[in-house]
Amino acid sequence: MSDNDTLLTTTSGLTTTTSGLTTTTPGLTTTTPGNFIRHIIDDDIATNKNDGKVVTRFPPEPNGYLHIGHAKSICLNFGIAEDYNGTCHLRFDDTNPHKENAEFVQSIQDDVRWLGYDWGKQHFFASDYFEPLYDFAVQLIEKGKAYVCDLSAEEMRKYRGTLTEPGKDSPYRNRSAEENRELFAKMRAGEFADGSKVLRAKIDMAAPNINLRDPTIYRIRHGVVHHQTGESWCIYPMYDYTHCLSDSLEGITHSLCTLEFADHRPLYDWFLNTLETPCHPQQIEFSRLSLQYTIASKRKLTSLVNDGHVEGWDDPRMPTIAGMRRRGYPAAAIRDFCVRIGVTKSDNTVEMGVLENCVRENLNEHAPRRMAVLNPLKVVITNYPEGQVEQLTVANHPQNEDMGTREIPMSREIVIDQNDFLQVAPNKKFKRLVHGGEVRLRNGYVIRCDEMIKNEQGDIIELRCRYDPATLGASPEGRKVKGVIHWVSAAQGISAEVRLYDRLFNHPAPDAAKDDQDYAAHLNPESMLTLTRCVLEPALGETEDGEYFQFEREGYFCKDQAVTADHSPVFNRTITLRDSWAKIEKQAAQSG
RNA sequence: UGGGGCGUCGCCAAGCGGUAAGGCACUGGGUUUUGAUCUCAGCAUGCGCAGGUUCGAAUCCUGCCGCCCCAGCCA
């Protein structure tokens, strides 16, 4: 995959439910919407092409972490393999040791596995084929279809011609097979300096498709230690040459890649037609994914990390798989997203709302509910017995009894969120607590605010309220209390740090300006807000990293691996709850 | 003035000659001890434009227009 690339893709038959065809293949029933690639495969199976087998592959280059665009490709390739009872290989396209490393190889494996896919024994490296690839090159030379060229990179560019003018033959184009074989052997033996020679396919310097103007297939690279092959090679094959042959060697039937490789297909086919190979996979191109408010170019993601704009590849604001995992996005939500966006050949930019909807939908169903106060305001219940602590039994999920219950303590002093109290209601739709008004404590009693205590600056620092003992699990007598707010008993609550995340960029297309500089100017300065005085209900005291919850009325949160200096837990806000109040507030403000 | 790809609702996306699926978003109603969830309803006489073929065209033909990709010894 490329440097600027976004890979993309969709669909998978995992646990997602979407409308669409229900295909029953031996052993499994899935509901995965069809797409043009699946239609092609259906036809191939109908005509018994490849003996009805389906073998795909996900071929990342280990030069960075996987991002949401790769998720599309992973779901497409592994999803198809699953649905057609085929296999999907994980193959690292590691032909450029200069940019690749073992950390990336590891992270890619972790991410694919986390997404829910298993390549079984089908784990390969293009570098596994360096020896056979070398032999194929010799075969090309013997057929008079490749030659060693001494032109410099710059000269080669001049000889290549332009988009509208044909190129011209290299003066080295007609070397004999013997001479080429000898020269190529010396290239491998390390007798030539970097850049002094390359091996080129001999095709057609006047081809309208520039990829066919005698493309380079081997270059010399001394002094780099390849993460898999060490220093055993000083010549490395190029992508176009390596990919098709690797596919063939592995018996891939359908080689799915992104649109920009469509121009390379003639080359893909040329190598396979020219050489004696095991099989001829079919390359099919689909469009990459663009997600609003994010960038998906590995080059730029790398610079976000290296320039310190984020804290690492797994920063919760990053559109990387690792970042989304740490942010708390469930793998199933990402898979669902990949199914929903579809697979086509048209350019597309998906709105963040689609991904967010997938995350909320999944979390709403699976996240246990808890109460947590992010911006605490002390409340003393004046008529509540001093020293008394009640344990209230509350449901972990309002719509799913199977998720059980938990106990939450209630006492004379509690904390509520500062945003849930206003001295005077700003409009008639406001239904939280106001001075002199009533509100229900979620899962608890109805309280009335009698008094506000302020500091010298006039800030409200404490509320004095009374509770109605008859309102636990019951409506109050003769009046309606519409508002419900969350709270935590002050003495029993545990302190925590909560990180509120927002989009990394404040421009829908930070990538739009093609120059690599611009995107940084669109970084959202408020993409992370850290709250350090949060109070969580006791049940949140023992949680594992990665465990997620809905903090009622606030959003979905996930326990982070970090811990504060005083050993308090840290939670990341995955996403807020849908907020129709924000809209009402705006309208109310306009209409009074 | 080269080659390749693409244009169906704000964003995705079905459709493959028989009279515009679905999702997200949005709007309005109902339920609700999360302003959440859930639920009901609405949301393209129209498929880049213009002609043509046909009883019938988003689907076929012709011609335009627009957008994306390609001149790495990157993938």
Side-chain angles (χ1 to χ4, degrees):
Chain A
M1 301 221 122
S2 64
D3 145 23
N4 225 47
D5 66 332
T6 334
L7 306 176
L8 336 345
T9 354
T10 334
T11 12
S12 80
L14 290 192
T15 56
T16 43
T17 26
T18 55
S19 55
L21 316 175
T22 293
T23 47
T24 303
T25 47
L28 74 171
T29 301
T30 56
T31 27
T32 303
N35 57 51
F36 81 100
I37 293 177
R38 284 173 179 253
H39 293 333
I40 290 171
I41 294 175
D42 288 339
D43 290 344
D44 290 344
I45 288 175
T47 58
N48 203 41
K49 185 177 176 184
N50 306 310
D51 294 324
K53 289 192 173 62
V54 174
V55 183
T56 57
R57 101 269 93 116
F58 171 58
E61 180 189 12
N63 66 343
Y65 276 57
L66 262 22
H67 54 64
I68 186 69
H70 292 100
K72 177 177 178 181
S73 183
I74 292 167
C75 291
L76 207 217
N77 282 293
F78 280 93
I80 282 176
E82 279 179 0
D83 294 351
Y84 287 90
N85 226 259
T87 54
C88 178
H89 300 184
L90 171 63
R91 181 175 71 233
F92 290 93
D93 222 327
D94 58 346
T95 57
N96 185 3
H98 190 70
K99 295 182 174 177
E100 304 154 5
N101 67 48
E103 177 200 344
F104 294 142
V105 170
Q106 185 60 51
S107 73
I108 288 169
Q109 291 173 179
D110 293 345
D111 290 347
V112 173
R113 245 191 302 259
W114 177 75
L115 269 179
Y117 297 102
D118 179 13
W119 51 83
K121 291 182 166 35
Q122 315 307 315
H123 179 290
F124 308 103
F125 289 93
S127 56
D128 292 342
Y129 315 127
F130 280 178
E131 199 61 55
L133 250 20
Y134 179 85
D135 293 339
F136 273 126
V138 171
Q139 200 183 125
L140 235 27
I141 288 171
E142 281 166 354
K143 287 174 182 284
K145 299 292 190 182
Y147 62 98
V148 172
C149 182
D150 298 2
L151 250 28
S152 68
E154 192 178 335
E155 291 170 321
M156 223 193 268
R157 195 183 327 122
K158 285 176 182 157
Y159 274 79
R160 192 153 34 226
T162 68
L163 293 178
T164 54
E165 303 156 20
K168 56 184 180 185
D169 292 358
S170 159
Y172 306 98
R173 199 171 199 260
N174 295 311
R175 292 217 250 226
S176 67
E178 294 65 40
E179 184 181 5
N180 283 136
R181 197 186 307 120
E182 203 171 296
L183 252 20
F184 187 48
K186 287 182 176 176
M187 277 172 64
R188 175 176 183 172
E191 296 187 22
F192 305 120
D194 285 13
S196 62
K197 285 180 170 51
V198 294
L199 181 69
R200 293 225 258 170
K202 188 194 264 189
I203 306 181
D204 178 7
M205 287 309 289
N209 179 340
I210 293 183
N211 294 124
L212 264 17
R213 317 238 266 227
D214 291 9
T216 297
I217 57 182
Y218 267 93
R219 75 285 213 179
I220 300 170
R221 286 289 176 275
H222 288 285
V224 259
V225 178
H226 187 285
H227 52 99
Q228 300 303 316
T229 62
E231 298 178 283
S232 46
W233 292 86
C234 64
I235 56 172
Y236 290 93
M238 299 288 288
Y239 167 85
D240 286 309
Y241 175 71
T242 307
H243 208 88
C244 55
L245 292 171
S246 299
D247 280 349
S248 180
L249 256 12
E250 291 179 16
I252 299 300
T253 56
H254 302 271
S255 184
L256 317 182
C257 62
T258 45
L259 243 35
E260 67 273 25
F261 290 101
D263 285 341
H264 296 241
R265 189 172 359 109
L267 194 46
Y268 184 103
D269 292 332
W270 186 87
F271 285 121
L272 295 180
N273 287 150
T274 306
L275 292 162
E276 286 152 40
T277 56
C279 64
H280 192 143
Q282 178 181 8
Q283 173 176 309
I284 305 171
E285 311 85 18
F286 61 95
S287 57
R288 288 152 65 125
L289 162 70
S290 260
L291 230 205
Q292 284 197 337
Y293 295 100
T294 68
I295 56 177
S297 126
K298 258 193 220 169
R299 224 202 138 280
K300 292 173 185 171
L301 290 175
T302 300
S303 93
L304 277 179
V305 174
N306 295 340
D307 297 347
H309 293 303
V310 295
E311 287 164 24
W313 286 96
D314 70 341
D315 185 298
R317 294 165 292 182
M318 289 284 273
T320 52
I321 308 281
M324 295 188 288
R325 172 170 62 233
R326 191 167 170 193
R327 173 82 169 253
Y329 285 16
I334 295 173
R335 274 185 251 122
D336 185 24
F337 171 73
C338 290
V339 169
R340 294 195 199 195
I341 58 177
V343 179
T344 67
K345 298 183 75 148
S346 36
D347 294 332
N348 62 85
T349 301
V350 179
E351 293 177 340
M352 259 297 190
V354 180
L355 212 208
E356 294 178 336
N357 174 263
C358 292
V359 172
R360 288 197 179 101
E361 200 168 87
N362 181 286
L363 257 16
N364 174 55
E365 185 181 347
H366 301 108
R369 308 295 111 130
R370 291 291 184 270
M371 291 203 284
V373 174
L374 272 25
N375 303 291
L377 172 61
K378 181 180 174 185
V379 173
V380 176
I381 315 289
T382 56
N383 61 338
Y384 196 90
E386 200 115 25
Q388 174 176 310
V389 177
E390 272 180 280
Q391 289 298 335
L392 307 177
T393 300
V394 309
N396 285 329
H397 189 110
Q399 279 86 228
N400 183 0
E401 287 186 17
D402 294 342
M403 288 180 76
T405 61
R406 68 186 188 283
E407 308 259 283
I408 57 173
M410 167 64 191
S411 66
R412 193 164 192 273
E413 283 188 18
I414 64 173
V415 288
I416 64 171
D417 198 278
Q418 289 169 21
N419 296 139
D420 285 333
F421 176 80
L422 240 34
Q423 213 165 144
V424 181
N427 57 60
K428 62 287 180 194
K429 296 206 174 171
F430 188 81
K431 52 185 198 183
R432 278 115 97 152
L433 189 61
V434 295
H435 188 204
E438 280 189 307
V439 78
R440 161 147 244 137
L441 293 180
R442 160 120 260 233
N443 294 133
Y445 302 95
V446 167
I447 59 172
R448 172 185 298 279
C449 176
D450 299 320
E451 189 184 343
M452 302 174 290
I453 295 178
K454 300 181 179 178
N455 61 14
E456 307 77 54
Q457 287 80 244
D459 304 321
I460 296 168
I461 55 170
E462 181 183 323
L463 259 28
R464 294 292 170 113
C465 301
R466 268 175 301 147
Y467 83 119
D468 181 343
T471 55
L472 186 61
S475 294
E477 291 288 310
R479 72 214 123 109
K480 280 189 291 252
V481 174
K482 296 199 73 176
V484 180
I485 65 174
H486 56 100
W487 56 282
V488 172
S489 176
Q492 290 77 206
I494 58 184
S495 64
E497 174 174 314
V498 172
R499 297 172 184 169
L500 268 22
Y501 293 105
D502 198 354
R503 46 182 57 136
L504 223 205
F505 294 96
N506 50 25
H507 188 289
D511 233 358
K514 293 291 181 228
D515 60 273
D516 286 4
Q517 309 308 120
D518 250 45
Y519 77 97
H522 298 305
L523 282 165
N524 175 8
E526 296 170 348
S527 59
M528 178 171 86
L529 177 61
T530 302
L531 266 25
T532 58
R533 301 177 51 240
C534 310
V535 183
L536 317 178
E537 65 164 90
L540 249 7
E542 288 166 30
T543 55
E544 293 174 25
D545 293 351
E547 211 176 338
Y548 50 73
F549 303 91
Q550 180 194 103
F551 287 178
E552 295 204 49
R553 300 210 317 130
E554 291 288 1
Y556 295 97
F557 295 76
C558 164
K559 174 77 166 11
D560 193 72
Q561 60 211 41
V563 180
T564 65
D566 60 341
H567 306 296
S568 292
V570 173
F571 279 83
N572 294 323
R573 182 173 69 193
T574 304
I575 191 167
T576 61
L577 252 27
R578 200 173 260 108
D579 185 11
S580 61
W581 167 243
K583 217 164 17 190
I584 295 171
E585 207 173 21
K586 196 182 294 179
Q587 293 169 354
Q590 289 167 355
S591 65

